[in-house]
């Protein structure tokens, strides 16, 4: 029985690619050095899958930034501002699109469906000139073949590419991105022709937008695209891969009717309704079903017995020789290899499977279907499943009762936000257009060393506290010198906003090397929520009070909200996600109340990932938003009117959930805005009334570029055209931890100068 992997993590087991990229960007290493690291990683990935017995091994899933940007490069769809003059796209143009440069900003970045992975959004217009400008897909196929591994080249499908794009600034609203289909298909044909000439026998088109609610004309685009590609694809086996959700019935009908397609890949972990659709509607005769039964988005060991039962039921639909065991999606959304976790609790470790282990699971299921079941492997898996179900460390009756008691109240603060803002202003006495930052300040090498040495017990707690106190003092002094109005302590004690809290909550486990790519070189190490969640002790009060004692200005207490902790963790799959979220909300509520009691007047509860978790199907939006927004309100429902509650959101499309954001009932929301061409402001132009404080980001912190005072002032003036002066805040898009002080200080200097400039202008017009 054949086996398949949709995609694999790129960063390497020890984040080798991350460090190579950052060294290259900093000018410390050459392009050749970067390419050598990348080639070594690709070779090890292909070798690992080949030795594990995987038949359909992917290539072209490796990327220096993301697969959509790679496709933009392949199509030569470079915006004019990057001054690309044609030819093969090199590192300079590629990374300028991703990160910006000294003279031009980066392209927009947003979340990849409902994951914490990001992609660079293509900017297209009727004037976009396409050309075959990156031969990466063919080069990597040949590279693998030279190593003795015949791979399945993977391309982002043409229709999904266009549906994930945006119209460039200034383009007429009537412009349809799908009108460009005839312009990009010739390039896809060139790529296919080169792959065929190189010896490829299979090709995988990722068309994940098929799981979304598509209009009739969007579904028709799939039919026309693959009809146009049919002759070019002749002689190749063609797999159309979908993932992350159920495929709707109409989309399923369109997919299984596509011309020239040999096989269909489905996520049968998050797509349980698709499983029933396959059984009821069937698969066209002679076609392959790539059954995604092994979860590519979580770290729990597969229930092999259950998956085998599912696969056996599918054999009756497609036949034994047409069924391929697969992952539910690319394994890039999970950690790399459990073998690197030498300090993880042995019982919990037995419940887990990272990417390397999932490859083995896929192959074991394929062998079992072929009558070569590894009885010992399956028995060990069954024992681990039973251990997890019965372990007393998973369940906490007191926590479950507290969460159950939440029903029957909406946990909304009693006083309306307008009255609360008045009470807060009397206490805080802030100027109009108050300035602030989002939380973190640059994480220097020295700071990382201090945390690392403290964890390794190489320095004492006293030495650690002294070092962190010194860093907080430095950050406070910088903000005071810059004349920022509401300060942050810079979060020097935190490596990661979710990991930090998870380490202090019960029900969480942590890895040493469980890194997952978020975007570019940015990696996160998601906590593992294995059991019921509670807060044994205060988590941030000590540091926040220390920081507040250093300044007369308001100091924000900085917390991560329950929905973001949930969405940025590997979550237990043995109970509904909302139940786990309510437990986290109660833990954060205790922390909020302790901060308030400690004299912290402004408390920020970040919900950066609230939009990210929105289900891909509209029919499921209301239920998710109800419990997600409720969870946030639980955290701060008990504070006084004079305590100002902030929240922060970043890098998603918020316009479609603006009413839910209002329903969160925060006093102030800071939200990403600058990198998405100020898309957020359009919702206010269209008549949405927002009465709480709001700070749409005035500059992009994910780019090293330093915006001028005039540029920031222009952005603020655009905001004032649709928002009242008395509710507008001035702040960056996001936290500053990924930037250097040489970038942060001048950018914040210009931000404060812009706010003061506009205050002066507003005062003169009164």
């Amino acid at each position: 029985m054949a086996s398949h992997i949709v995609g694999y993590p790129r960063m390497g087991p020890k984040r080798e690619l991350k460090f190579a990229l950052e060294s290259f960007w900093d000018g410390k290493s050459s392009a050749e050095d970067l390419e050598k690291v990348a080639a070594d990683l690709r070779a090890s990935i292909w070798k690992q899958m080949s030795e594990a017995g995987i038949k359909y091994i992917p290539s072209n899933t490796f990327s220096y930034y993301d697969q959509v940007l790679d496709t933009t490069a392949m199509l030569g769809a470079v915006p004019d501002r990057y001054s690309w003059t044609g030819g093969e796209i090199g590192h300079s143009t590629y990374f300028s699109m991703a990160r910006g440069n000294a003279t031009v900003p980066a392209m927009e970045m947003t979340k990849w469906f409902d994951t914490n992975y990001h992609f660079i959004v293509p900017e297209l217009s009727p004037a976009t000139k396409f050309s075959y400008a990156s031969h990466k897909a063919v080069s990597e196929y040949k590279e693998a073949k030279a190593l003795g591994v015949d791979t399945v080249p993977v391309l982002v499908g043409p229709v999904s590419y266009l549906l994930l794009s945006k119209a460039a600034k200034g383009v007429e609203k009537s412009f349809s991105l799908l009108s460009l289909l005839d312009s990009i298909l010739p390039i896809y044909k060139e790529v296919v022709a080169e792959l065929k000439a190189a010896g490829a026998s299979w090709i995988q088109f990722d068309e994940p937008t098929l799981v979304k609610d598509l209009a009739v004309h969007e579904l028709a685009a799939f039919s026309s695209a693959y009809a146009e590609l049919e002759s070019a694809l002749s002689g190749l086996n063609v797999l159309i891969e979908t993932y992350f959700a159920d495929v709707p019935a109409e989309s399923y009908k369109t997919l299984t009717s596509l011309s020239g397609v040999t096989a269909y890949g489905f996520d049968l972990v998050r797509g349980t309704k698709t499983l029933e659709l396959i059984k009821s509607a069937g698969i066209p005769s002679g076609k392959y079903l790539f059954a995604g039964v092994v979860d590519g988005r979580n770290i729990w060991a597969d229930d092999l017995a259950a998956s085998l039962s599912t696969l056996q039921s599918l054999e009756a639909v497609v036949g034994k020789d047409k069924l391929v065991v697969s992952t539910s999606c690319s394994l890039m959304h999970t950690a790399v290899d459990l073998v690197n976790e030498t300090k993880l609790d042995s019982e919990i470790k037995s419940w887990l499977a990272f990417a390397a282990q999932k490859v083995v699971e896929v192959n074991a299921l394929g062998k079992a279907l072929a009558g070569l079941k590894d009885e010992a492997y399956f028995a060990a898996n069954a024992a681990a499943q039973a251990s997890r179900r019965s372990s007393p460390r998973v369940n906490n009756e007191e926590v479950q009762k507290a969460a159950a008691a939440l029903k029957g109240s909406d946990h909304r603060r009693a006083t309306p936000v307008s009255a609360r803002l008045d009470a807060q202003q009397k206490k805080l006495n802030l100027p109009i257009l108050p300035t602030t930052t989002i939380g973190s300040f640059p994480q220097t090498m020295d700071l990382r060393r201090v945390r690392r040495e403290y964890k390794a017990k190489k320095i004492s707690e006293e030495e650690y506290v002294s070092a962190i106190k010194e860093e907080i003092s430095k950050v406070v002094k910088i903000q005071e010198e810059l004349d920022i109005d509401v300060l942050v302590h810079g979060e020097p004690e935190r490596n990661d906003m979710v990991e930090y809290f998870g380490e202090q909550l019960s029900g969480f486990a942590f890895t040493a090397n469980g890194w997952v790519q978020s975007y570019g070189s940015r990696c996160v190490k998601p906590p593992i929520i294995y059991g019921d969640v509670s807060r044994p002790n205060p988590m941030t009060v000590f540091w926040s009070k220390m920081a507040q004692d250093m300044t007369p200005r308001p100091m924000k207490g900085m917390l991560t909200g329950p929905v973001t902790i949930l969405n940025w963790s590997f979550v237990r799959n043995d109970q509904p996600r909302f139940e786990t979220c309510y437990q986290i909300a109660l833990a954060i509520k205790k922390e909020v109340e302790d901060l308030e009691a400690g004299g912290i007047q402004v408390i920020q509860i970040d919900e950066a990932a609230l939009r990210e978790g929105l289900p891909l199907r509209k029919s499921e939006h209301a239920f998710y938003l109800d419990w997600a927004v409720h969870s946030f309100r639980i955290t701060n429902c008990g504070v006084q009117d004079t305590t100002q509650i902030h929240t922060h959101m970043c890098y998603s499309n918020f316009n479609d959930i603006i009413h839910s954001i209002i329903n969160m009932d925060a006093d102030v929301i800071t939200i990403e805005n600058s990198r998405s061409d100020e898309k957020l402001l359009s919702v206010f132009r269209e008549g949405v009334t927002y009465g709480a404080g709001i700070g749409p980001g005035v500059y992009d912190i994910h780019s090293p570029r330093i915006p001028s005072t005039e540029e920031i002032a222009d952005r603020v003036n655009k905001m004032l055209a649709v928002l009242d002066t008395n509710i507008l805040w001035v702040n960056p898009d996001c936290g500053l931890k990924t930037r250097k002080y040489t970038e942060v200080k001048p950018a914040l200097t210009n931000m404060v100068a812009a706010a003061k400039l506009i205050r002066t202008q507003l005062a003169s017009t009164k």
Side-chain angles (χ1 to χ4, degrees), residues 164-334:
L164 291 167
S165 301
K166 72 172 186 178
K169 196 181 273 189
V171 171
E172 294 289 332
K173 283 190 175 180
S174 59
F175 169 63
S176 168
L177 290 161
L178 289 175
S179 68
L180 298 174
L181 196 55
D182 289 342
S183 300
I184 68 172
L185 288 178
I187 297 164
Y188 274 88
K189 289 179 182 178
E190 286 188 71
V191 179
V192 168
E194 287 194 7
L195 287 169
K196 285 169 71 173
S201 58
W202 278 83
I203 187 168
Q204 175 179 319
F205 290 100
D206 281 6
E207 294 281 13
T209 55
L210 279 164
V211 305
K212 301 185 86 172
D213 297 304
L214 299 178
V216 172
H217 76 280
E218 292 171 326
L219 287 174
F222 286 94
S223 299
S224 60
Y226 286 93
E228 177 64 26
L229 289 172
E230 184 175 10
S231 60
L233 293 168
S234 177
L236 279 174
N237 291 294
V238 179
L239 165 64
I240 306 294
E241 186 66 53
T242 68
Y243 35 77
F244 298 151
D246 286 299
V247 175
E250 281 303 308
S251 299
Y252 183 87
K253 185 178 178 181
T254 297
L255 171 58
T256 53
S257 302
L258 292 179
S259 305
V261 173
T262 315
Y264 318 103
F266 298 106
D267 181 339
L268 300 182
V269 176
R270 292 184 174 231
T272 52
K273 293 176 185 174
T274 300
L275 179 61
E276 298 310 312
L277 195 57
I278 294 168
K279 292 177 180 178
S280 61
I283 293 284
S285 178
K287 305 294 185 181
Y288 289 83
L289 170 61
F290 281 58
V293 293
V294 173
D295 193 350
R297 285 185 61 172
N298 217 327
I299 43 65
W300 303 109
D302 188 66
D303 185 337
L304 294 177
S307 291
L308 184 58
S309 176
T310 296
L311 291 164
Q312 288 167 338
S313 71
L314 290 170
E315 279 186 326
V317 179
V318 296
K320 188 182 284 284
D321 62 329
K322 298 297 182 185
L323 182 62
V324 178
V325 183
S326 184
T327 53
S328 65
C329 62
S330 172
L331 295 174
M332 66 176 287
H333 304 290
T334 189

Side-chain angles (χ1 to χ4, degrees), residues 256-571:
T256 53
S257 302
L258 292 179
S259 305
V261 173
T262 315
Y264 318 103
F266 298 106
D267 181 339
L268 300 182
V269 176
R270 292 184 174 231
T272 52
K273 293 176 185 174
T274 300
L275 179 61
E276 298 310 312
L277 195 57
I278 294 168
K279 292 177 180 178
S280 61
I283 293 284
S285 178
K287 305 294 185 181
Y288 289 83
L289 170 61
F290 281 58
V293 293
V294 173
D295 193 350
R297 285 185 61 172
N298 217 327
I299 43 65
W300 303 109
D302 188 66
D303 185 337
L304 294 177
S307 291
L308 184 58
S309 176
T310 296
L311 291 164
Q312 288 167 338
S313 71
L314 290 170
E315 279 186 326
V317 179
V318 296
K320 188 182 284 284
D321 62 329
K322 298 297 182 185
L323 182 62
V324 178
V325 183
S326 184
T327 53
S328 65
C329 62
S330 172
L331 295 174
M332 66 176 287
H333 304 290
T334 189
V336 179
D337 195 342
L338 195 57
V339 75
N340 296 316
E341 302 305 325
T342 56
K343 296 180 180 177
L344 194 60
D345 176 277
S346 59
E347 182 183 32
I348 293 174
K349 190 174 180 179
S350 74
W351 303 340
L352 307 178
F354 291 179
Q357 289 69 46
K358 289 175 185 291
V359 168
V360 175
E361 289 178 337
V362 166
N363 192 54
L365 286 165
K367 284 185 172 181
L369 275 177
L372 300 171
K373 184 178 180 183
D374 185 335
E375 296 292 351
Y377 182 73
F378 271 70
N381 175 267
Q385 298 292 326
S387 160
R388 185 176 166 213
R389 282 191 294 269
S390 62
S391 176
R393 66 201 306 176
V394 170
N395 300 306
N396 182 320
E397 189 176 346
E398 184 179 339
V399 171
Q400 291 172 1
K401 283 181 179 177
L406 293 171
K407 294 171 184 174
S409 170
D410 65 2
H411 296 90
R412 191 180 296 275
R413 291 167 80 179
T415 307
V417 67
S418 57
R420 299 200 308 262
L421 289 173
D422 287 343
Q424 292 156 14
Q425 178 58 16
K426 286 174 184 174
K427 192 168 186 179
L428 298 172
N429 194 29
L430 298 172
I432 61 167
L433 307 180
T435 54
T436 190
T437 65
I438 305 306
S440 60
F441 263 61
Q443 299 264 316
T444 64
M445 294 298 290
D446 284 344
L447 186 55
R448 294 178 191 277
R449 176 186 53 77
V450 166
R451 286 199 304 261
R452 192 166 56 247
E453 289 180 352
Y454 179 60
K455 272 196 167 182
K457 299 183 178 178
K458 292 181 179 178
I459 61 174
S460 67
E461 183 172 0
E462 184 179 347
E463 290 172 310
Y464 172 71
V465 170
S466 176
I468 298 299
K469 183 177 182 180
E470 184 179 338
E471 183 70 18
I472 292 172
S473 179
K474 179 179 83 172
V475 169
V476 170
K477 185 178 180 182
I478 288 170
Q479 293 171 92
E480 288 181 328
E481 289 173 349
L482 291 170
D483 204 17
I484 291 173
D485 299 304
V486 176
L487 310 190
V488 298
H489 76 293
E491 303 177 7
E493 78 283 15
R494 308 177 195 182
N495 178 60
D496 177 86
M497 62 188 287
V498 173
E499 182 181 7
Y500 175 81
F501 290 98
E503 284 178 336
Q504 300 180 78
L505 295 168
S506 64
F508 282 73
F510 293 86
T511 63
N513 292 290
W515 298 100
V516 179
Q517 185 182 17
S518 179
Y519 61 86
S521 68
R522 168 83 171 132
C523 297
V524 294
K525 197 165 52 168
I528 298 165
I529 306 178
Y530 67 85
D532 291 331
V533 178
S534 61
R535 186 202 73 150
N537 298 297
M539 302 179 287
T540 65
V541 177
F542 175 78
W543 301 115
S544 292
K545 287 178 67 177
M546 175 190 289
Q548 183 63 83
D549 288 343
M550 295 176 181
T551 179
R553 301 186 185 213
M555 174 65 62
K556 284 198 278 191
M558 300 300 304
L559 304 175
T560 301
V563 184
T564 297
I565 290 176
L566 183 87
N567 285 335
W568 287 358
S569 298
F570 291 124
V571 184

Side-chain angles (χ1 to χ4, degrees), residues 399-400 402-404 406 411 505-508 529-535 560-590 605-607 609-611 613 623-636 664:
V399 171
Q400 291 172 1
L406 293 171
H411 296 90
L505 295 168
S506 64
F508 282 73
I529 306 178
Y530 67 85
D532 291 331
V533 178
S534 61
R535 186 202 73 150
T560 301
V563 184
T564 297
I565 290 176
L566 183 87
N567 285 335
W568 287 358
S569 298
F570 291 124
V571 184
R572 58 190 294 190
N573 57 2
D574 59 344
Q575 71 177 15
R577 289 172 70 86
F578 70 85
E579 290 187 12
T580 302
C581 198
Y582 283 154
Q583 293 177 1
I584 302 170
L586 287 171
I588 299 299
K589 181 176 185 287
K590 289 182 179 180
I605 308 166
D606 284 346
E607 283 297 12
L610 187 139
R611 172 63 176 79
F623 178 67
Y624 167 79
L625 289 169
D626 179 66
W627 63 255
V629 169
H630 187 192
S631 294
F632 176 82
R633 289 202 305 262
I634 288 167
T635 65
N636 59 88
M664 292 170 73

